[in-house]
Amino acid sequence: MCSLKEICSGLPLDPLPLNPGRDPNVPHAPMRTPNLTAEEERVSQYNALRYFPPSHHATLAPEFAQELRQYGHIYMYRFCPKLYPIDQYPCRTRQAASIMLMIMNNLDPAVAQFPQELVTYGGNGQVFSNWAQFCLVMHYLSEMTEEQTLVMYSGHPVGLFPSLPSSPRAIITNGMVIPNYSSRNQYEKMFALGVSMYGQMTAGSYCYIGPQGIVHGTLLTLLNAGRRYLGSDDLRGRVFVTSGLGGMSGAQAKAAVIAGCIGVIAEVDEAPLRKRFEQGWLMEVTSSLEHCIKRIRETKSSKTPLSVGYHGNIVDLWERLLLEYERTGDLLFCQANQLMSTDSNRFPNHGQESLRRHIKAINKLSDAGMFFWDYGNAFLLEAQESAEVEKAGGGATEFRYPSYVQHIMGDIFSLGFGPFRWVCTSGDPKDLATTDDIAATILEEIGANVTDHIRQQYNDNIRWIREAGKHKMVVGSQARILYSDQKGRVCIALAINQAIADGRVSAPVVISRDHHDVSGTDSPFRETSNVYDGSAFCADMAVQNFVGDAFRGATWVALHNGGGVGWGEVINGGFGLLLDGSVEASKRARLVLNWDVSNGVARRCWSGNSKAYETIQHTMEENGQLRVTMPFPVQDECVLDRALQG
């Protein structure tokens, strides 16, 4: 066991810690296959050893070589700490301490998916590339002053550099690869070499708060899907079929029950399935397709909320549902207009054939009355490459079925709503309860004077925040998430900061968000899939978001290649900001949060989204310093026809 002070003292070199290898009692990341040449293996060894003085190379080189060949990456297990105490941080500035706390939370074994491989979620969302980087970062943060900034290159701490007190204390980039080389094959090599890293969205930016965030996001998706497809947000007796219980997708079972519907979730890996059942997030587990059919029928009849984890392939589940329809004419979910989301991260090795079977079953069931959408991981893009997925409108991001952003969440983003979150650094549940009440009260107050469609979103989040404590969402840190627009985020942050100043909240609070937000992410098959002016593949918004948050006062900022939909498919940016009760913290929060939302709404407005147009126009009316370039509509399409014909 080592204390936090020892962890922050830098790399333990005299003597070297013992090397117990991998802990068999925790889950581990799958073996990687980078297919390095002999020369590339040599470079990888060299890159790992440069963290250590030559006197230790003879000891470390053989074990690093073994890790590379056995696991496909050099994790440096010898330096993996055995304890993560977070009650006292030996820092010179509270801003640095807040970053350390969030790093510790991301790597907490109760939170992280593969803690010994430094993977927080998503199977490959790294906090760091190896344990030497972790040790150096914790040491740098413990030494940092308010006139220094820690610079991070894909997990590697370049060092502390002089900066202003108003500057971020950390600048993080992950996977910033020259575009022509941003392929998955290149990634595997670069990660094995130790020169680049996949930070997902909130793993490599130290902002993950456990599965609560995706539970809330999935709940809102289901409620708004019900309104769009069913004309109701009463989902009792409705059936929700999906796949994936590991990492982020593990939240789907919980969200289904909170929404009141019947969730059937397929998962091929028994470990995450059992974990979600033991956590109470999953009500039943079965490997029997017949049992799944039986429970769907029973709970549909009684309109009883239920979550069933099916241990098997989602394709087998879909084909069994299709067989049931072909045998009996009973779609099971025909009258209920079944809702479906998919997370196909865990398909077997024969993925292409699996995808062909998958989409064939979906097509037939959809023709019979099922509502289908792609929820989150570019399933339709992958299916298009392996199976025939008919495009709807011919655009590069348009398929036979919509992404959930195109039909459900995109307009919510255009209203400025997105995943605002906070972490109580005290670790005291009483502080979380106080901040919950502050947030709900704020939304109730400002929600009384808004339009109906905005009030609906406020009401969903007030319902969530008032009931969140009942659902035992906290894993690791005392954290909370809700979706709010720009005004709500600013008002909540300022009210929490005042509560810290007044002593109603006992310690500082870190605010952040998921990168999956209004302006944090350029992702043509997810977050910006409803942008139709030809700019869906442009990443200016995310980069500008990162830069703008930095000089407006964020405590740390991060910019990533990859996240959610895969390496090379997305650029996303995020931030963390410490509220310590000071006037300066209020000023920073106001500047950062106003920019952080308006940047994305302005881009969506320019692309032609009418809801974004209305939102940014209203925001300009409230803030005289904001001036956004507004698009003029083409009122007469004949003008274009005549011009093009000529």
Side-chain angles (χ1 to χ4, degrees), residues 177-188 190 561 567-568:
V177 174
I178 303 301
N180 279 356
Y181 302 90
S182 188
S183 69
R184 294 181 186 181
N185 289 338
Q186 289 285 350
Y187 164 71
E188 290 294 344
M190 287 185 284
N561 172 14
W567 179 266

Side-chain angles (χ1 to χ4, degrees), residues 333-348:
F333 35 73
C334 185
Q335 294 87 359
N337 292 317
Q338 194 267 353
L339 303 175
M340 184 274 177
S341 135
T342 189
D343 178 355
S344 56
N345 284 338
R346 293 186 178 273
F347 281 136

Side-chain angles (χ1 to χ4, degrees), residues 65-118:
Q66 181 183 4
E67 288 182 17
L68 181 63
R69 288 170 180 164
Q70 188 169 357
Y71 308 122
H73 185 73
I74 299 172
Y75 293 103
M76 306 182 186
Y77 289 114
R78 178 189 290 267
F79 300 95
C80 175
K82 299 302 177 187
L83 184 66
Y84 299 98
I86 58 173
D87 57 342
Q88 187 177 2
Y89 292 87
C91 293
R92 301 170 70 177
T93 165
R94 283 189 293 187
Q95 288 188 331
S98 70
I99 301 172
M100 294 172 76
L101 181 146
M102 297 297 282
I103 289 172
M104 289 297 203
N105 184 65
N106 271 26
L107 292 172
D108 188 324
V111 174
Q113 186 179 12
F114 305 125
Q116 285 206 304
E117 287 77 39
L118 304 106

